Amino acid sequence: MSYPIYPKRAGIDLNGIWKFKFLERPSAPELKKLNPDSVVCDDVQSVPGCFDSGIKYAGKRGVGIYKRAVLFDAPGRYLLKIGGLGLYARIFFDGKEIGFDDLPYSGVSYVFDVKKAGTHEFAFAVDNRFSYELCPIFSSYYDFYAFGGIYRPLELYRLPGTCFDRCHVTTLNYKDGTVRLDIFLDKKISGTQAIDVAFDGKKSSPFKVKFTAGKGSLELKVPAFKTWTLEAPNLHTVTLSTKDDVIIERFGIREVKTSKGQILLNGKKLTLLGYNRHESHPEFGPALPLPIMIEDLQILKDMNCNFIRGSHYPQSQEFLDLCDEYGFLVWEETLGWGDTLEHLTDKKFQEKQLDQTRLMVKNSCNHPSIIMWGFLNEMHSFDMKCRKIIKLLAGELRKLDPSRPVTFATANIDADKALDLVDVISTNLYPGWYGCGHDDYRPLHLIKPRLDQVAAIVSVPEHRDKPWIISEIGAAGLYGNHDRLKGHWSEDYQADYLKTVCDYVLNSKRAMGLAIWQFTDGRSYTSSQNLNRARGFNNKGTLDEYRRPKLAYGVVKTEFAKKKK
Ligand code: ADA
């Protein structure tokens, strides 16, 4: 379970084994017409988990019906929290729909009433069929497999009368430990509330907090505080109590700023060195078990990385908790992958992106590891018509959380029309991989000139005060393929490629960061959009999908170690 924690609330564990039935396309009914009561289950599934990451349902699209009988020992108002699912789902309680979740990977919650103690039934109808109509923000052309399932943990609590929703903690002064607590109640009430506040589980102090439409704020100094840094990722907790409810949030005291082309953590210049990471594993899809998340971070630490771009969707809260504890710097972004102009300019798509943006900030704002917010990987930002959605999303992020810089990864820096709208310029580049000459099987010579060209573009007067990071760069190397010619698709070429890139970034005055594409190989599609995805995987991982290191592992590790000295 991740923060916030509500220690006083009666909780029911919904994770574990659920009854299951898969209704396969084309006979699967339309999701909106489906009545789970009429479905008889003949199988089981794990929650969290993906039904199509295992062999039985692999590659199938349709609706997965999950059912579970739950014993409630008291009636009341209950809150169901879903850590993230895909692609979209109707959620039922005793046959009545209590929610429709069309925001893949987002943490969402639903409140519903339980009239009587006793056994009741939950049902989830989880659809993994692509549908712009029902789920506009996940498209079939994305370069990562769209799995079906309840990817992340569920939580269920009985709600007290007046209760906390959350508390957003913002560092106001990292030098003296002043923080602002923005306290949100679950109802939009106004008036004064007595709240006891305690830091780090110590003695509490009473406050009278004025609430307007369910929100009240306090500015306090954290006693005996320690800042959150990469070397010492110190964390604090704040406990808020009323007579009815208690909430514990965890946070770190630190400041992120951009200034004169640099990214600063607590006033110190950062060089971001790390990877793009998908939540992906051949046996679990995006429903990664905790031990795998921990191992991923241990591997990244071993490689001397300090930076993770959470590509390309809101991250698991448990993973972010671990990043806070290990001391990683994270870029979190909304779901997106080269979305078409038609979608980007469609109001429906824009609204769903806005919803996901709001939830991302709401769910993740207290993680000190997150140093920037992003959105819509490789959108058509070279078209003026996309400025509207960029303004909308960047504006919303700045409104909800002015304490972090905003960015998006552009795939076309030469023609981008929106660099003025971001705080950090982030470029995805594949020189020496895509677009090379027919016969050129080792085009390493293309890398440096292209990076020089991009460095020049981002150094013109209107851009030079913004930090520049390479948000993606990489080459595919098939695990075990050691080629005599050390050419494309070999581990050897990939290793030489990444050495050239690291060397460039570590010696560049302009580049403030590098997120290599990508941490591990990840499942995509066999023939998606002619993307050359051998095995149906994106093979640009420095490790393969089972976390077996390729030749590039030692190379990147040695290169990144140079920065540490
Ligand atoms: C893009 C995209 C990645 C991946 C990569 C590649 O830059 O952002 O998700 O698809 O290309 O491997 O081609």
Side-chain angles (χ1 to χ4, degrees):
M1 195 177 28
S2 308
Y3 289 89
I5 295 170
Y6 304 94
K8 244 179 134 173
R9 297 184 189 174
I12 299 176
D13 189 5
L14 289 183
N15 300 302
I17 302 168
W18 284 58
K19 286 194 269 168
F20 185 74
K21 170 80 183 172
F22 186 62
L23 308 171
E24 194 177 350
R25 179 179 68 180
S27 57
E30 270 178 47
L31 186 68
K32 291 279 182 186
K33 293 196 179 136
L34 201 143
N35 172 9
D37 284 348
S38 63
V39 177
V40 179
C41 292
D42 58 3
D43 202 352
V44 291
Q45 279 296 326
S46 157
V47 173
C50 290
F51 57 79
D52 50 357
S53 58
I55 293 166
K56 187 168 177 185
Y57 305 108
K60 298 190 192 301
R61 300 229 168 249
V63 189
I65 304 289
Y66 292 70
K67 288 190 184 186
R68 178 137 164 188
V70 177
L71 182 65
F72 288 76
D73 61 7
R77 213 159 55 95
Y78 280 78
L79 176 86
L80 171 68
K81 275 177 116 178
I82 303 169
L85 57 70
L87 303 182
Y88 49 98
R90 289 173 74 197
I91 298 118
F92 300 85
F93 183 70
D94 286 343
K96 197 173 142 241
E97 184 167 339
I98 57 166
F100 178 63
D101 180 358
D102 56 0
L103 297 172
Y105 290 95
S106 275
V108 296
S109 45
Y110 303 101
V111 175
F112 62 100
D113 289 318
V114 176
K115 300 258 175 341
K116 271 202 283 185
T119 301
H120 297 269
E121 190 179 65
F122 280 105
F124 281 63
V126 182
D127 205 322
N128 73 346
R129 294 171 292 187
F130 292 103
S131 162
Y132 188 75
E133 155 99 10
L134 296 179
C135 177
I137 64 172
F138 209 150
S139 290
S140 59
Y141 51 78
Y142 291 6
D143 180 20
F144 49 96
Y145 195 85
F147 287 93
I150 302 171
Y151 301 170
R152 297 180 184 153
L154 300 176
E155 289 173 51
L156 178 68
Y157 306 109
R158 187 165 77 240
L159 292 174
T162 301
C163 61
F164 294 111
D165 178 23
R166 65 193 181 99
C167 173
H168 180 165
V169 187
T170 309
T171 302
L172 295 181
N173 186 339
Y174 72 93
K175 290 185 178 151
D176 71 3
T178 309
V179 294
R180 192 182 61 241
L181 308 179
D182 289 316
I183 307 166
F184 296 85
L185 302 176
D186 90 321
K187 290 181 192 140
K188 294 211 175 311
I189 54 175
S190 299
T192 302
Q193 288 272 338
I195 296 185
D196 287 343
V197 181
F199 287 104
D200 302 316
K202 306 244 169 68
K203 202 174 165 304
S204 64
S205 309
F207 292 90
K208 292 256 182 268
V209 186
K210 216 176 132 230
F211 281 85
T212 309
K215 182 184 167 192
S217 300
L218 282 174
E219 276 185 31
L220 298 173
K221 272 192 188 169
V222 179
F225 78 96
K226 288 184 176 157
T227 46
W228 187 92
T229 64
L230 286 178
E231 301 72 34
N234 295 300
L235 295 166
H236 293 278
T237 60
V238 60
T239 306
L240 308 175
S241 320
T242 61
K243 62 179 182 6
D244 291 333
D245 200 15
V246 178
I247 183 173
I248 307 175
E249 295 272 15
R250 193 171 73 171
F251 63 97
I253 295 176
R254 54 109 187 94
E255 179 195 76
V256 184
K257 257 172 109 168
T258 60
S259 168
K260 299 191 184 125
Q262 300 185 342
I263 305 173
L264 308 173
L265 178 69
N266 304 331
K268 261 176 67 185
K269 178 186 156 195
L270 288 173
T271 305
L272 307 176
L273 295 175
Y275 276 90
N276 283 273
R277 176 182 175 276
H278 265 298
E279 296 190 341
S280 170
H281 188 281
E283 286 170 47
F284 308 107
L288 291 192
L290 203 50
I292 291 187
M293 296 185 202
I294 292 173
E295 191 185 31
D296 282 358
L297 292 175
Q298 289 168 340
I299 293 170
L300 288 159
K301 272 274 171 214
D302 180 61
M303 294 182 79
N304 299 309
C305 298
N306 61 17
F307 180 49
I308 299 163
R309 176 171 173 225
S311 50
H312 297 300
Y313 32 75
Q315 300 288 290
S316 134
Q317 288 300 310
E318 285 163 311
F319 182 71
L320 294 171
D321 281 346
L322 290 167
C323 290
D324 295 342
E325 289 180 27
Y326 270 111
F328 278 100
L329 305 165
V330 179
W331 154 339
E332 191 178 21
E333 67 188 18
T334 60
L335 181 59
W337 194 92
D339 293 280
T340 63
L341 188 60
E342 191 195 344
H343 291 178
L344 292 163
T345 49
D346 179 14
K347 211 156 181 262
K348 180 163 148 177
F349 181 92
Q350 294 174 352
E351 271 163 16
K352 288 294 155 196
Q353 276 291 334
L354 268 175
D355 286 348
Q356 188 164 66
T357 301
R358 292 185 188 114
L359 283 170
M360 179 171 80
V361 177
K362 176 177 168 179
N363 293 327
S364 301
C365 60
N366 289 337
H367 292 288
S369 54
I370 297 179
I371 53 156
M372 55 184 139
W373 299 120
F375 48 85
L376 291 175
N377 174 61
E378 295 196 347
M379 77 184 104
H380 286 229
S381 47
F382 44 91
D383 193 310
M384 288 301 276
K385 293 194 201 82
C386 285
R387 283 180 66 85
K388 178 162 178 218
I389 187 163
I390 299 170
K391 276 189 193 162
L392 270 177
L393 299 180
E396 193 67 14
L397 286 167
R398 292 193 179 107
K399 184 178 100 194
L400 297 174
D401 178 18
S403 78
R404 288 171 172 101
V406 167
T407 191
F408 65 82
T410 177
N412 192 344
I413 185 71
D414 309 77
D416 203 284
K417 298 280 187 298
L419 299 181
D420 59 314
L421 301 178
V422 294
D423 304 311
V424 175
I425 300 177
S426 305
T427 50
N428 292 359
L429 305 157
Y430 288 87
W433 182 254
Y434 293 123
C436 307
H438 205 91
D439 300 323
D440 206 348
Y441 59 89
R442 256 181 81 76
L444 291 175
H445 57 94
L446 297 179
I447 301 171
K448 189 172 174 301
R450 176 63 180 149
L451 294 180
D452 280 340
Q453 210 177 42
V454 175
I457 297 174
V458 299
S459 300
V460 298
E462 59 268 41
H463 302 322
R464 69 176 168 223
D465 284 341
K466 295 188 181 186
W468 168 46
I469 65 177
I470 299 174
S471 40
E472 282 185 33
I473 191 161
L478 293 174
Y479 180 78
N481 180 23
H482 295 280
D483 175 16
R484 201 163 56 89
L485 303 179
K486 300 187 190 303
H488 261 191
W489 297 97
S490 68
E491 284 196 28
D492 316 67
Y493 181 69
Q494 185 194 39
D496 293 342
Y497 184 103
L498 292 182
K499 178 156 179 16
T500 313
V501 169
C502 291
D503 196 50
Y504 184 92
V505 172
L506 291 169
N507 291 301
S508 160
K509 290 214 163 52
R510 186 65 184 96
M512 289 301 124
L514 165 64
I516 293 171
W517 186 266
Q518 61 174 334
F519 175 48
T520 68
D521 291 347
R523 191 173 284 288
S524 184
Y525 299 94
T526 319
S527 59
S528 136
Q529 311 280 307
N530 233 346
L531 283 168
N532 302 318
R533 297 292 175 252
R535 313 183 298 131
F537 277 73
N538 186 313
N539 295 292
K540 299 189 190 74
T542 289
L543 297 98
D544 81 348
E545 62 275 21
Y546 288 105
R547 280 61 178 161
R548 295 179 297 187
K550 303 180 192 170
L551 208 54
Y553 188 105
V555 170
V556 174
K557 176 175 170 166
T558 307
E559 287 297 311
F560 283 0
K562 293 181 185 160
K563 189 68 205 171
K564 275 196 161 173
K565 284 181 196 147

